[in-house]
Amino acid sequence: MGLADAEPNVSVFDDAESLARAAAERFAELARESVAERGLFTVALSGGSTPRRIYELLAGEGLRGSVDWRGVHVFFGDERMVPPDSAESNYRMASEALLSKVEIPPENVHRIEGVGDAAANASAYESEMRVLFGDAGWPRLDLVLLGMGDDGHTASLFPGTAALNEQSLWVAPNWVEKLGAWRVTLTAPVINAARHVIFLITGAGKAERLREVLKGERDPARLPSQLIRPSDGTLEWFVDRAAASKL
Ligand code: 6PG
């Protein structure tokens, strides 16, 4: 049995609040370690609703001062094709909850452009990543935070979409038929090259899909979250009791 087939590393929390607290502490701990060891911490944030509380806790009294934000580089796992001030913007959410509240240099915040052409924006974002990560092989992000939709998608890797098969781009434009919209997303090989990947999953509405993803047949075209298997990094599932109820 290969490592990829080992039991998933699932931590179950009583509720969304205790999950958020644990995730925020883990983020801060990994940030401190990375800055101490390599002088910087590169993280890809997830969008959606679950992470907001984590970002607020990171910006709060207890944790804000424990991280040297000057060494932190923030990227995004995906973005919707909306302006940065839209209520739908992942950047806006992270900015309001966290980035505007900590002393992170503005040039360390790497936003995916949501206005204009998705393919051009994806390619511009890949170029921006290459400035920091260089051109050799896949980038090695220190941490990727991910959510999972109730259809099994993660980042903007939706079931049955073209970006699932991407093997060379770091960042892909992805047409999502069921949303009638383009998204821009990190690709699975980039996520799988990270040092640490953490899924954040709450709510009973995700329980059955989570069971399928973790315990069901392998079918990543239908369950894109199954594509996430870091090749030389850790994968942790932070799940609340409601979402874990069918495991
Ligand atoms: C996005 C995401 C997406 C999200 C999941 C879960 O931009 O929508 O990055 O992959 O993480 O849809 O979202 P919730 O946490 O809101 O359920």
Side-chain angles (χ1 to χ4, degrees):
M1 189 168 88
L3 247 194
D5 301 313
E7 271 298 294
N9 180 359
V10 180
S11 304
V12 179
F13 299 91
D14 280 347
D15 51 31
E17 180 65 17
S18 47
L19 180 150
R21 226 175 304 121
E25 277 161 18
R26 184 97 178 97
F27 181 119
E29 177 193 343
L30 290 171
R32 287 192 296 270
E33 271 175 28
S34 293
V35 172
E37 282 168 25
R38 290 180 293 280
L40 86 173
F41 175 62
T42 56
V43 57
L45 301 182
S46 66
S49 53
T50 312
R52 177 184 281 272
R53 184 70 188 132
I54 297 168
Y55 302 159
E56 287 170 357
L57 289 165
L58 276 166
E61 279 297 303
L63 287 174
R64 189 177 58 221
S66 78
V67 172
D68 180 0
W69 294 94
R70 292 167 306 175
V72 177
H73 278 261
V74 168
F75 294 86
F76 288 82
D78 71 331
E79 189 54 280
R80 294 106 184 257
M81 292 302 291
V82 295
D85 60 354
S86 161
E88 290 284 292
S89 165
N90 286 339
Y91 165 77
R92 176 176 165 176
M93 188 277 280
S95 176
E96 285 179 355
L98 173 63
L99 305 172
S100 63
K101 308 221 158 81
V102 296
E103 303 219 341
I104 183 167
E107 65 272 20
N108 290 12
V109 177
H110 306 275
R111 169 174 87 76
I112 300 175
E113 181 57 63
V115 176
D117 176 60
N121 296 348
S123 145
Y125 201 60
E126 180 164 329
S127 302
E128 183 164 342
M129 290 182 76
R130 284 181 187 276
V131 171
L132 197 75
F133 292 101
D135 281 325
W138 299 103
R140 191 137 165 82
L141 283 151
D142 293 307
L143 172 64
V144 178
L145 293 179
L146 294 173
M148 185 190 77
D150 54 15
D151 60 356
H153 82 263
T154 190
S156 280
L157 301 166
F158 284 78
T161 56
L164 301 186
N165 304 312
E166 187 53 56
Q167 291 301 327
S168 59
L169 295 179
W170 292 11
V171 187
N174 202 19
W175 173 254
V176 185
E177 186 62 40
K178 75 173 189 187
L179 302 176
W182 286 95
R183 293 283 185 95
V184 174
T185 187
L186 297 187
T187 58
V190 166
I191 299 169
N192 286 334
R195 284 195 169 83
H196 303 281
V197 179
I198 302 179
F199 269 96
L200 309 161
I201 304 180
T202 61
K206 293 188 179 162
E208 175 55 25
R209 197 66 74 194
L210 183 62
R211 187 197 61 74
E212 278 193 283
V213 166
L214 292 179
K215 309 253 154 126
E217 288 290 298
R218 185 164 165 81
D219 186 4
R222 191 173 70 82
L223 301 168
S225 295
Q226 290 183 336
L227 288 172
I228 307 310
R229 293 173 155 197
S231 46
D232 184 22
T234 68
L235 174 60
E236 293 172 85
W237 298 83
F238 280 31
V239 181
D240 73 353
R241 209 159 45 196
S245 61
K246 299 200 169 156
L247 295 182

